[in-house]
Amino acid sequence: MTAQRDRGHSHRDRVVHSANARSARLSASMSGTNLVRAGDYNQRTVLQAIRLVGETSRVELATLTGLTAPTIANITKRLTELGLIKLVGRRQGARGQPALRLSIDPDGAFAIGLNIDRDHISLALVDLAGRVRRLVGQEIAFALPEDVVAFARKRITKLLTVEGVSRDKVLGVGVAMPDDLGRIPIPHRPAAYDAWNNIDVAAAVHEALPWPIHVDNDAAAAALGEAQQRPGQDAQNFFYLLISAGLGGGPVIEGNYARGAALRSGEIGLMPDPSSARPNAVVQDTVSLSALRARFEAAGKADDLANLVSDDPSCRAIVDAWVHDAAQSLASPLVAVNCLINPAAILIGGRLPLPLIARLAAALETALDAFALPSRAPILAALAAQDGAVIGAAMLPFLDHVLPSDAILIQAGRRD
C-alpha cells in the first residue's frame, strides 16, 4: 500500500480546539498569570505532585513545587474537600509533631478512554491515580461510526457497574484515533470507511458516552499517557512509536508534548522509506500491524496476534523477515529523531505482543550501530505498551480538568 499524500484536515479541525485548550497551559513559567489562573495552576500542580510521588507531606510538597507552606495548606485543604486527596496517617520525624501524610484518592475521580483504530476498538475506565480499573476491547476490522457507538453503549454501563463507579464521578471521555482515519489506504479498507472523513466524532460518541468528550490523535494520547506514568526526569524527553494498524509517533520535549504548527508532529509512518524497493513507499507500509498481517495472509497463514509469537517455524520465518525489514525501514527516521530531538528514550507501544516489541527494539539497536550518532537514545518498550492509546485517551479529561495539562511535569522546585 502507499500512504495517500492528500491528507485532509477534518480530523485535525475536530481536535484543534481541545489540543489548543491544553496547549494554552503548557508553560512552566507563571509570568503573566492572573491570580485566578494562578490558583488553578497551583492546585493542578500540587495534585500532580501527589500523583507522581505517592504518599507525601505538606512540607515535602512545598519543597517539590516551590510554593509557600500557607499556599500548600490551603490547596491541600481544598483538594481534600473535593475528595481528590486523602489523609493516610502521620509519620514521626526526627523531632516535633508527626507530619500528616497525604495521598491521591483513586476513587476521587474517573475518566473513560476510547481507542478507535482500523482493526479494533477498546474502552478503559481509569481512576485518578492513573490505574486501569477495567478495560474491554473488540477485534473488529474497519468499524464504522455506528459500530463504535454500539460498542460503547453496550459496554459502558457494565464497565461502571462492575467497578461500582457512579456516573457523576466521571470527568469525561477521551477518544484516541489516527488522523485521517478514513483516508489513509490500508489493505482491505472498504469504501464505506469513508464515513469517518466528515463525521463529528465527539457528537457521535456523546450519544453513547454522555460526558465531556476530548478527541486527540492516538499517538499523541499514548505519549501523554506514558508521560503520566513515568516518574520525574524519565518523562522529560522521549519519542513514542505507536505501532498499530498504522504507525504514528509522539515527541515529548522538555516536558511538553510538541504538536507542531498543524498539530501533525511525529508523523513518522508517512516518512519516505528509502530502504523499500517499492516506488513512493513510506515507513508504515512496512512498520505496521496491518503490513505484518498482510505478510501472514500472503503466506496463507491466519493473521491473529497469537501467531506473531508462535514457535511454528513458518510463522517464525514471517516474523523474522518483518523484524529485519522493519528495523531497516525505521533506521533512517530514528537517526533523524536522535539528531533533531535528542530524546532520552525511544519508546515502542501499540498492539504488538511484548516479546515482539522486545525483538524489534533489539533489531533497531543493531541497525543504529551502523551510524555514528552524536547521541543515541535507548529503545525500550513503553510502560503501558499494548494499551497505551486507550489509557492515554483516558488521561485527556484529567489533563483538561484537574492536572497541569500537557506540561506533564512539575518544573518549579524540580529535584535533580
Side-chain angles (χ1 to χ4, degrees):
M1 73 184 167
T2 301
Q4 185 170 317
R5 298 308 191 269
D6 179 17
R7 289 158 40 184
H9 300 287
S10 58
H11 181 59
R12 183 196 67 186
D13 295 339
R14 288 194 299 271
V15 305
V16 67
H17 175 73
S18 179
N20 283 343
R22 287 193 295 278
S23 296
R25 298 194 297 273
L26 287 182
S27 175
S29 170
M30 294 300 292
S31 61
T33 302
N34 63 40
L35 292 177
V36 173
R37 187 169 177 78
D40 175 68
Y41 182 90
N42 290 344
Q43 184 167 296
R44 289 168 179 261
T45 299
V46 171
L47 184 64
Q48 178 72 323
I50 299 170
R51 287 184 73 254
L52 291 177
V53 302
E55 186 180 315
T56 187
S57 70
R58 293 188 177 105
V59 171
E60 291 165 352
L61 287 171
T63 301
L64 179 62
T65 64
L67 298 173
T68 65
T71 298
I72 291 293
N74 289 333
I75 289 174
T76 54
K77 181 176 182 291
R78 288 199 301 271
L79 291 174
T80 302
E81 291 170 348
L82 289 169
L84 300 179
I85 66 172
K86 60 184 179 180
L87 300 177
V88 291
R90 295 179 180 270
R91 179 177 296 172
Q92 183 67 54
R95 65 179 184 273
Q97 181 73 12
L100 285 170
R101 307 300 294 176
L102 306 168
S103 73
I104 283 289
D105 186 345
D107 295 332
F110 295 84
I112 294 164
L114 174 64
N115 179 213
I116 305 168
D117 205 350
R118 300 169 180 96
D119 59 354
H120 81 285
I121 317 168
S122 55
L123 194 69
L125 177 68
V126 176
D127 65 26
L128 184 58
R131 294 198 298 260
V132 179
R133 301 289 278 265
R134 184 73 54 170
L135 191 153
V136 293
Q138 180 177 346
E139 299 293 314
I140 178 170
F142 301 105
L144 297 176
E146 56 266 31
D147 300 321
V148 173
V149 172
F151 168 82
R153 184 186 297 113
K154 177 181 178 182
R155 300 299 185 102
I156 187 58
T157 299
K158 184 176 181 180
L159 202 71
L160 297 176
T161 301
V162 169
E163 291 300 319
V165 174
S166 171
R167 286 176 174 260
D168 61 7
K169 285 278 192 176
V170 177
L171 290 179
V173 177
V175 180
M177 56 191 293
D179 289 328
D180 301 331
L181 183 64
R183 289 186 170 88
I184 299 295
I186 296 286
H188 306 303
R189 174 184 170 277
Y193 210 57
D194 289 346
W196 285 106
N197 292 341
N198 300 302
I199 191 172
D200 184 335
V201 174
V205 168
H206 191 265
E207 177 186 340
L209 304 172
W211 294 277
I213 307 294
H214 311 268
V215 183
D216 212 336
N217 169 267
D218 55 350
L224 289 169
E226 183 76 13
Q228 291 298 316
Q229 305 297 322
R230 287 187 167 269
Q233 295 299 309
D234 287 349
Q236 279 276 14
N237 293 279
F238 64 84
F239 189 87
Y240 195 103
L241 283 174
L242 183 70
I243 303 175
S244 55
L247 173 65
V252 172
I253 302 173
E254 296 300 320
N256 295 322
Y257 185 83
R259 293 186 179 275
L263 307 182
R264 296 301 293 259
S265 66
E267 292 279 18
I268 194 168
L270 298 181
M271 292 180 69
D273 182 4
S275 73
S276 175
R278 288 174 292 179
N280 302 315
V282 295
V283 176
Q284 79 171 8
D285 293 344
T286 298
V287 189
S288 62
L289 192 53
S290 59
L292 178 51
R293 281 174 157 162
R295 295 189 181 210
F296 274 85
E297 181 182 2
K301 295 284 185 180
D303 63 358
D304 59 80
L305 294 178
N307 272 346
L308 302 186
V309 290
S310 170
D311 288 331
D312 177 81
S314 57
C315 292
R316 181 85 178 188
I318 295 170
V319 173
D320 288 348
W322 178 83
V323 168
H324 173 271
D325 294 347
Q328 296 305 306
S329 294
L330 278 170
S332 291
L334 292 187
V335 166
V337 166
N338 275 287
C339 291
L340 298 177
I341 298 177
N342 187 30
I346 294 169
L347 306 176
I348 303 178
R351 300 250 294 146
L352 295 178
L354 288 175
L356 186 49
I357 289 178
R359 290 187 60 197
L360 178 59
L364 285 168
E365 294 279 11
T366 299
L368 291 177
D369 285 342
F371 301 91
L373 301 178
S375 177
R376 189 172 119 190
I379 301 171
L380 310 168
L383 292 178
Q386 294 179 297
D387 301 312
V390 71
I391 295 172
M395 294 308 302
L396 300 180
F398 290 127
L399 291 169
D400 271 3
H401 295 294
V402 296
L403 297 181
S405 191
D406 293 3
I408 297 167
L409 295 176
I410 301 159
Q411 302 285 342
R414 187 176 63 202
R415 289 172 177 165
D416 294 325

